[in-house]
Amino acid sequence: MSDSTITPWVVGNWKMNPMQANSQQLIQDLKQYLKQTPITEQQCHIGVAPISIALLPIQQALLDAQSPVKVVAQDLSRMAGTGAYTGEVSGELLKDSQIDYVLIGHSERREIFGDDVEHVKAKVLNALNAGLTVIYCVGESLEQREAGQAEQVVLQQICDLATVVKADQWHNIVVAYEPIWAIGTGKTASPEDAQAMHAQIRQGLAQITAEGKNIAILYGGSVKPENAVELAACPDINGALVGGASLNAASFFEIARAFAKIKE
Ligand code: PGA
């Protein structure tokens, strides 16, 4: 079981959404909720992952937020540093713009954009070398789950991660378990199934590193205010990676509140 001192994370993955004006409005609305009911960094790490050209405008818009909100890149290049790599943004370039967090290995990147295991590993390596914190996504497909392979697939993805993370870099890793069949489908894993997988991931991480008990493991896949409280009650679910519901400030704020360790 996880260490109950793990601070939860709730991160909004905006994917290829929305238009600039709407993203600014979304941030203004979120700031308003956080002003009325602050959530401290000790209670929950809150983050938003906008499209790459909105990273800096959103960072700017968050400067006067009363509760800290982290700005997270949705991806980065597998090439490091700077150079002749048209269309790419490296970890060093993100860091140079004070973007300190990045999602890697999201199933949409793996399935639609051909991020294979070697690409994902190169990205993790580059991100960590550049000093970024990585939110590393894992998850099985419906076919894999139905074939009884879910655990094996996910633990293999954790083993892939372990091949590139150095002993002193684990504190810069957050894991997000997102069963592919639950993403954008309205189908959430039951809290029991999610907890069971999170416990397996926890055990896997603990075998690899002494940091394993401290690593936040987020759940993703149709998280919404209606299921957030139940998911948050599971001992090894330390937050959420939220897609669709993060495009609505009220829903996203409510999910963050469900996970935040608020002493009321
Ligand atoms: P969803 O997406 O909440 O819309 O299912 C989650 C994700 O893909 O990160």
Side-chain angles (χ1 to χ4, degrees):
M1 197 190 280
S2 75
D3 188 327
S4 63
T5 60
I6 295 178
T7 302
W9 293 66
V10 172
V11 177
N13 177 9
W14 293 359
K15 309 192 179 183
M16 203 167 74
N17 299 292
M19 297 295 173
Q20 296 278 12
N22 292 338
S23 67
Q24 286 294 333
Q25 190 58 52
L26 184 50
I27 287 299
Q28 293 312 322
D29 293 347
L30 180 61
K31 285 199 299 191
Q32 198 54 39
Y33 284 111
L34 289 169
K35 191 171 170 187
Q36 284 159 10
T37 317
I39 297 176
T40 68
E41 183 89 53
Q42 288 69 40
Q43 292 168 327
C44 184
H45 300 296
I46 300 174
V48 291
I51 56 171
S52 59
I53 51 171
L55 286 167
L56 298 187
I58 294 301
Q59 183 184 59
Q60 187 69 27
L62 283 166
L63 285 179
D64 63 351
Q66 296 201 349
S67 300
V69 179
K70 300 174 190 304
V71 182
V72 180
Q74 294 181 14
D75 190 28
L76 87 172
S77 179
R78 63 192 158 91
M79 307 310 291
T82 55
Y85 301 111
T86 304
E88 295 291 283
V89 180
S90 68
E92 285 78 3
L93 288 170
L94 288 170
K95 193 74 185 171
D96 186 49
S97 289
Q98 287 81 51
I99 303 297
D100 295 327
Y101 305 88
V102 63
L103 303 179
I104 298 181
H106 191 283
S107 59
E108 286 155 13
R109 300 283 337 156
R110 293 181 195 254
E111 297 218 317
I112 306 171
F113 298 102
D115 279 10
D116 63 19
V117 177
E118 293 311 316
H119 291 180
V120 170
K121 280 162 52 175
K123 288 179 177 192
V124 171
L125 190 71
N126 287 347
L128 293 174
N129 286 344
L132 300 173
T133 292
V134 172
I135 302 173
Y136 176 77
C137 305
V138 299
E140 81 286 357
S141 66
L142 186 58
E143 297 71 49
Q144 289 164 332
R145 175 155 285 257
E146 284 174 346
Q149 297 165 346
E151 206 172 283
Q152 183 195 330
V153 167
V154 169
L155 291 179
Q156 181 58 51
Q157 289 168 331
I158 296 295
C159 289
D160 299 339
L161 176 69
T163 63
V164 286
V165 183
K166 297 190 189 81
D168 62 348
Q169 290 176 327
W170 283 102
H171 66 279
N172 283 334
I173 296 289
V174 173
V175 172
Y177 168 59
E178 299 200 305
I180 298 171
W181 47 271
I183 295 178
T185 57
K187 288 185 202 154
T188 327
S190 68
E192 295 74 27
D193 284 349
Q195 164 57 29
M197 184 63 88
H198 281 232
Q200 289 295 327
I201 296 172
R202 170 85 51 219
Q203 213 174 54
L205 287 168
Q207 281 170 10
I208 296 166
T209 166
E211 276 291 313
K213 62 181 190 312
N214 302 319
I215 295 174
I217 307 173
L218 321 185
Y219 171 78
S222 300
V223 177
K224 33 190 186 280
E226 296 76 31
N227 56 29
V229 172
E230 249 188 323
L231 289 165
C234 299
D236 288 300
I237 300 184
N238 315 113
L241 184 54
V242 188
S246 71
L247 296 171
N248 178 293
S251 301
F252 183 62
F253 176 73
E254 216 174 302
I255 294 167
R257 265 180 64 79
F259 279 92
K261 293 182 173 170
I262 296 173
K263 296 175 186 71
E264 280 166 339

